Amino acid sequence: MYFDREWRAGITELMNTYFQAVSDCDMDTFVKLFTSQDTSEEEHYRQEFEEQKQYISGYQNVKCYTTPGPRNGEMAAYVYYEILYTGVETPAPSLVRIYGDPGGGRKLADR
Protein backbone atom coordinates (compact mmCIF):
# COMPACT_ATOMS: atom_id res chain seq x y z
CA MET A 1 0.00 0.00 0.00
CA TYR A 2 1.33 3.43 -0.93
CA PHE A 3 0.37 6.67 0.78
CA ASP A 4 0.57 9.57 -1.63
CA ARG A 5 1.58 13.15 -1.06
CA GLU A 6 -1.97 14.16 -0.17
CA TRP A 7 -2.03 11.60 2.64
CA ARG A 8 1.43 12.69 3.81
CA ALA A 9 0.28 16.33 3.75
CA GLY A 10 -2.75 15.31 5.83
CA ILE A 11 -0.54 13.65 8.43
CA THR A 12 1.70 16.72 8.53
CA GLU A 13 -1.38 18.90 9.08
CA LEU A 14 -2.60 16.50 11.78
CA MET A 15 0.76 16.64 13.58
CA ASN A 16 0.89 20.44 13.33
CA THR A 17 -2.56 20.49 14.96
CA TYR A 18 -1.29 18.06 17.61
CA PHE A 19 1.72 20.24 18.48
CA GLN A 20 -0.44 23.37 18.56
CA ALA A 21 -2.93 21.66 20.90
CA VAL A 22 -0.06 20.59 23.19
CA SER A 23 1.42 24.11 23.18
CA ASP A 24 -1.97 25.69 23.91
CA CYS A 25 -3.07 22.99 26.40
CA ASP A 26 -6.17 22.67 24.20
CA MET A 27 -7.55 19.40 25.49
CA ASP A 28 -10.72 19.47 23.35
CA THR A 29 -8.64 19.50 20.17
CA PHE A 30 -6.04 17.09 21.59
CA VAL A 31 -8.60 14.38 22.45
CA LYS A 32 -10.31 14.66 19.04
CA LEU A 33 -7.03 13.83 17.28
CA PHE A 34 -7.12 10.21 18.50
CA THR A 35 -9.25 7.31 17.28
CA SER A 36 -10.58 6.43 20.75
CA GLN A 37 -11.25 10.01 21.90
CA ASP A 38 -10.76 8.65 25.43
CA THR A 39 -10.90 11.44 28.02
CA SER A 40 -9.89 9.37 31.07
CA GLU A 41 -6.30 10.74 31.06
CA GLU A 42 -7.22 14.29 30.07
CA GLU A 43 -6.26 15.91 33.38
CA HIS A 44 -2.93 14.06 33.46
CA TYR A 45 -2.06 15.34 29.98
CA ARG A 46 -3.24 18.87 30.80
CA GLN A 47 -0.87 18.98 33.80
CA GLU A 48 1.99 17.57 31.72
CA PHE A 49 1.44 20.16 28.98
CA GLU A 50 1.27 22.99 31.53
CA GLU A 51 4.61 21.86 32.99
CA GLN A 52 6.16 21.66 29.51
CA LYS A 53 5.16 25.27 28.81
CA GLN A 54 7.73 26.31 31.43
CA TYR A 55 10.61 25.13 29.26
CA ILE A 56 9.22 24.53 25.74
CA SER A 57 8.22 27.57 23.72
CA GLY A 58 7.04 25.69 20.63
CA TYR A 59 7.58 23.20 17.83
CA GLN A 60 8.61 23.76 14.24
CA ASN A 61 9.72 22.15 10.98
CA VAL A 62 7.33 19.17 11.11
CA LYS A 63 7.99 16.60 8.38
CA CYS A 64 6.29 13.23 8.02
CA TYR A 65 7.46 10.07 6.27
CA THR A 66 4.78 7.44 5.81
CA THR A 67 4.79 3.68 5.29
CA PRO A 68 2.17 0.92 5.56
CA GLY A 69 1.38 0.02 9.17
CA PRO A 70 1.59 -3.37 10.87
CA ARG A 71 -2.11 -4.12 10.27
CA ASN A 72 -4.00 -3.99 7.01
CA GLY A 73 -5.43 -0.51 6.48
CA GLU A 74 -3.20 1.24 9.01
CA MET A 75 -0.32 3.53 8.27
CA ALA A 76 2.80 4.35 10.19
CA ALA A 77 4.54 7.69 10.03
CA TYR A 78 7.89 8.81 11.25
CA VAL A 79 7.50 12.41 12.31
CA TYR A 80 10.53 14.67 12.43
CA TYR A 81 10.13 17.94 14.31
CA GLU A 82 12.17 20.46 16.22
CA ILE A 83 11.51 21.51 19.80
CA LEU A 84 12.09 25.14 20.72
CA TYR A 85 13.36 25.24 24.29
CA THR A 86 13.01 28.49 26.18
CA GLY A 87 16.33 30.33 26.36
CA VAL A 88 18.05 28.00 23.89
CA GLU A 89 18.85 29.35 20.46
CA THR A 90 19.28 26.04 18.61
CA PRO A 91 16.14 23.93 18.03
CA ALA A 92 16.38 20.32 19.23
CA PRO A 93 15.69 17.72 16.53
CA SER A 94 13.22 14.99 17.50
CA LEU A 95 11.69 11.93 15.88
CA VAL A 96 8.60 9.96 16.85
CA ARG A 97 6.74 7.06 15.25
CA ILE A 98 2.96 7.22 15.09
CA TYR A 99 0.21 5.01 13.74
CA GLY A 100 -2.78 6.36 11.92
CA ASP A 101 -6.07 5.27 10.46
CA PRO A 102 -6.36 6.52 6.86
CA GLY A 103 -10.03 5.61 6.72
CA GLY A 104 -10.88 7.18 10.05
CA GLY A 105 -10.70 10.82 9.11
CA ARG A 106 -6.94 11.04 9.65
CA LYS A 107 -6.68 10.36 13.34
CA LEU A 108 -3.87 9.04 15.49
CA ALA A 109 -4.37 5.40 16.44
CA ASP A 110 -4.11 5.15 20.22
CA ARG A 111 -5.60 1.71 20.79
Side-chain angles (χ1 to χ4, degrees):
M1 180 181 288
Y2 172 74
F3 295 97
D4 61 20
R5 289 177 194 225
E6 180 181 320
W7 176 245
R8 189 173 298 133
I11 291 298
T12 302
E13 180 182 331
L14 177 72
M15 292 309 298
N16 280 320
T17 302
Y18 171 89
F19 289 123
Q20 191 62 53
V22 169
S23 294
D24 296 343
C25 297
D26 179 355
M27 299 313 296
D28 290 334
T29 299
F30 180 78
V31 168
K32 290 176 185 174
L33 295 174
F34 293 89
T35 54
S36 73
Q37 297 188 11
D38 181 5
T39 61
S40 65
E41 297 289 321
E42 185 174 337
E43 188 56 34
H44 166 76
Y45 284 115
R46 181 188 320 277
Q47 289 175 3
E48 186 176 307
F49 300 158
E50 286 291 342
E51 289 176 21
Q52 289 177 4
K53 285 173 71 172
Q54 296 176 32
Y55 55 90
I56 295 177
S57 60
Y59 304 89
Q60 67 179 21
N61 202 19
V62 177
K63 295 180 184 174
C64 298
Y65 304 91
T66 58
T67 185
R71 294 185 209 133
N72 191 23
E74 285 186 343
M75 56 77 54
Y78 293 89
V79 181
Y80 170 87
Y81 61 99
E82 296 170 345
I83 301 172
L84 303 172
Y85 286 102
T86 305
V88 178
E89 193 173 310
T90 305
S94 299
L95 185 69
V96 65
R97 181 184 63 214
I98 62 158
Y99 293 101
D101 177 9
R106 290 193 181 120
K107 295 191 181 282
L108 299 171
D110 58 340
R111 300 261 173 191

